[in-house]
Amino acid sequence: GENVEQHPSTLSVQEGDSAVIKCTYSDSASNYFPWYKQELGKRPQLIIDIRSNVGEKKDQRIAVTLNKTAKHFSLHITETQPEDSAVYFCAASMGGNEKLTFGTGTRLTIIP
Amino acid sequence: KAGVTQTPRYLIKTRGQQVTLSCSPISGHRSVSWYQQTPGQGLQFLFEYFSETQRNKGNFPGRFSGRQFSNSRSEMNVSTLELGDSALYLCASSWTSPGTDTQYFGPGTRLTVL
């Protein structure tokens, strides 16, 4: 089955700097890649997703890039703010009626 | 529109007991997935239900089971509880499939096994 690896497991970034989290997936048939943000004590929430027919997607300070050949995708957060501190999870799916497979998460801390 | 709800929010059980957790999806959503979340392990997929049928299953022992009702509400059951079952159990719903539609999570049920 699908396997998703996520790095780094923890990341500390100075406020205003950029943060990058990377994920690799094993099944080349995967075509849907969402990212979830989980703040302390809260439920995971979708922040951005990308499908395999595009290489990049942006939403304000957040962007996701996808490299299908290398089977990896990355989350980029620019101009980080204290409220960006959270655990971020990447996930992958082969679409259709398939499940989502999640990475193990990255704890991002923004240093004021 | 009301979000995904889970009951109870907290549970304390002892080893050997069994437990049932409940999940009510967003109205109109027909797919419900269950995850186990533990520190360092991320979100481990348990199973997914669609139209009262288990459509996908993760790599958990048979002590973990679930079902879905005709109104899409879902329950999961864990029998013969072990200390290692202590975790946050999250359910999530989507229109038809987490592989294609946005998945919305509930607040989770925190299970502690003593």
Side-chain angles (χ1 to χ4, degrees):
Chain A
E2 176 68 278
N3 183 50
V4 177
E5 294 190 357
Q6 183 171 347
H7 300 280
S9 57
T10 61
L11 178 62
S12 293
V13 172
Q14 207 72 34
E15 183 179 350
D17 288 350
S18 297
V20 181
I21 303 170
K22 299 181 180 180
C23 290
T24 60
Y25 59 98
S26 60
D27 199 319
S28 57
S30 289
N31 59 23
Y32 176 55
F33 308 92
W35 285 87
Y36 284 81
K37 174 184 180 182
Q38 186 177 28
E39 297 178 53
L40 189 63
K42 304 247 180 105
R43 67 189 77 186
Q45 290 193 306
L46 179 76
I47 54 171
I48 195 167
D49 58 10
I50 191 169
R51 299 186 191 271
S52 59
N53 57 343
V54 296
E56 184 175 4
K57 184 177 179 180
K58 288 183 179 179
D59 183 3
Q60 300 182 339
R61 298 186 296 108
I62 294 173
V64 56
T65 58
L66 172 65
N67 183 326
K68 290 172 58 179
T69 303
K71 291 189 287 187
H72 69 70
F73 55 112
S74 300
L75 178 71
H76 305 253
I77 306 174
T78 59
E79 300 173 10
T80 53
Q81 301 169 3
E83 54 264 37
D84 294 329
S85 292
V87 178
Y88 292 81
F89 293 97
C90 63
S93 173
M94 288 182 277
N97 295 332
E98 296 299 321
K99 65 179 183 179
L100 270 179
T101 299
F102 282 84
T104 50
T106 296
R107 181 174 299 279
L108 174 63
T109 302
I110 306 302
I111 305 167
Chain B
K1 185 183 279 190
V4 180
T5 59
Q6 291 185 245
T7 56
R9 294 292 311 280
Y10 302 91
L11 267 178
I12 299 176
K13 294 285 187 179
T14 56
R15 279 179 297 173
Q17 288 187 308
Q18 76 166 25
V19 66
T20 299
L21 313 181
S22 181
C23 172
S24 292
I26 291 172
S27 177
H29 285 194
R30 297 168 65 191
S31 168
V32 175
S33 299
W34 287 89
Y35 299 88
Q36 181 193 68
Q37 184 174 26
T38 55
Q41 293 297 313
L43 295 161
Q44 300 288 307
F45 175 76
L46 283 153
F47 27 67
E48 184 230 352
Y49 285 85
F50 178 82
S51 290
E52 302 178 66
T53 300
Q54 186 180 88
R55 186 162 61 180
N56 289 294
K57 188 177 187 306
N59 298 320
F60 278 80
R63 301 185 295 108
F64 292 82
S65 63
R67 59 177 175 168
Q68 186 180 35
F69 302 94
S70 58
N71 61 357
S72 293
R73 189 177 70 86
S74 177
E75 289 181 347
M76 70 162 278
N77 185 78
V78 188
S79 63
T80 318
L81 284 166
E82 300 178 359
L83 294 178
D85 296 334
S86 293
L88 180 67
Y89 290 88
L90 291 161
C91 80
S93 73
S94 55
W95 279 110
T96 58
S97 170
T100 53
D101 313 315
T102 298
Q103 191 168 182
Y104 296 87
F105 282 86
T109 294
R110 172 77 59 187
L111 173 64
T112 301
V113 183
L114 303 176

